[in-house]
Amino acid sequence: MNQVAENIAFIREKITGAAKECGRDPGAVQLVAVSKRQDDDRIDAALAAGQRLFGENKVQEAQAHWQARRESYPDLRLHLIGPLQTNKVKDAVALFDCIETLDREKLALKLAEEMAAQGRDLPCFIQVNTGAELQKAGILPEYLGEFHDYCRYECGLDVQGLMCIPPADEPAALHFALLAKLAQEQGLLELSMGMSADFEKAIALGATYVRVGTALFGSRD
Ligand SMILES: *Cc1c(COP(=O)(O)O)cnc(C)c1O
């Protein structure tokens, strides 16, 4: 499992290089290791290599991966990067440290209620459907301003940034640039964008979080 440690070192080097190349501080880009559908050995190897920030896209799988490990790693941080159903909000608020997939009013309200009930104030990112794809989650760009206001002022959520997953068949850079422009308009500082294939491009366009799975852990089940 030294391979995972090697991959992490390699990706960190690439992050640093991409940031420097465009005059950004490499420390301003955080690596979210996407551990969905990876086996225990690989996850433990990433932890042994010092990685502490992880992303998961399903609540139940995240519990299986992290509930016990959390206790040994108090500095662990978990981001939810997949769609969240309202009936899983309670478990999600209990487990995660950041919700990256805030995408509808019903969910915003439920998250706010549950955070209040549990006394946890989690930062959230709004997921934007930059490609306006029917099958994809996320708020459409034209409704972002209204939705952001709702999350912030009606629900009192701590919205810190935006997240997107570009369409597979279009140049990702166009979507990263759009997300950066939308964040600027909204006065939001965090940008979660870029995956294994395109995280360097995302950094050039302002990513503060890159979500890397296969390039770090190897291919998934
Ligand atoms: C799986 C996933 C990733 C990681 O994708 P890789 O191509 O394996 O790096 C990033 N973001 C989201 C939302 C994902 O679901």
Side-chain angles (χ1 to χ4, degrees), residues 32-38 55-57 80-83 100-101 127 163-165 192 194-199 210-220:
V32 180
V34 178
S35 47
K36 69 183 184 198
R37 296 185 354 248
Q38 296 290 351
E56 291 278 354
N57 69 336
L80 178 66
I81 61 168
E100 293 201 16
T101 50
Q127 183 176 354
M163 176 272 211
C164 78
I165 308 169
S192 173
M195 316 200 292
S196 290
D198 50 26
F199 67 89
V210 292
R211 311 179 306 266
V212 181
T214 47
L216 195 156
F217 288 107
S219 58
R220 286 182 279 272

Side-chain angles (χ1 to χ4, degrees), residues 16 22 25 31 50 53 59 66 76 80-81 94 99-100 111 114 119 125 127 133 137 142 155 163 168 174 195 198 200:
T16 300
C22 59
D25 170 11
L31 172 61
L53 175 56
V59 177
W66 296 106
L76 187 77
L80 178 66
I81 61 168
I99 307 293
E100 293 201 16
L111 276 168
E114 196 52 48
F125 297 173
Q127 183 176 354
E133 295 173 281
E142 56 264 44
C155 303
M163 176 272 211
L174 293 177
M195 316 200 292
D198 50 26
E200 289 165 285

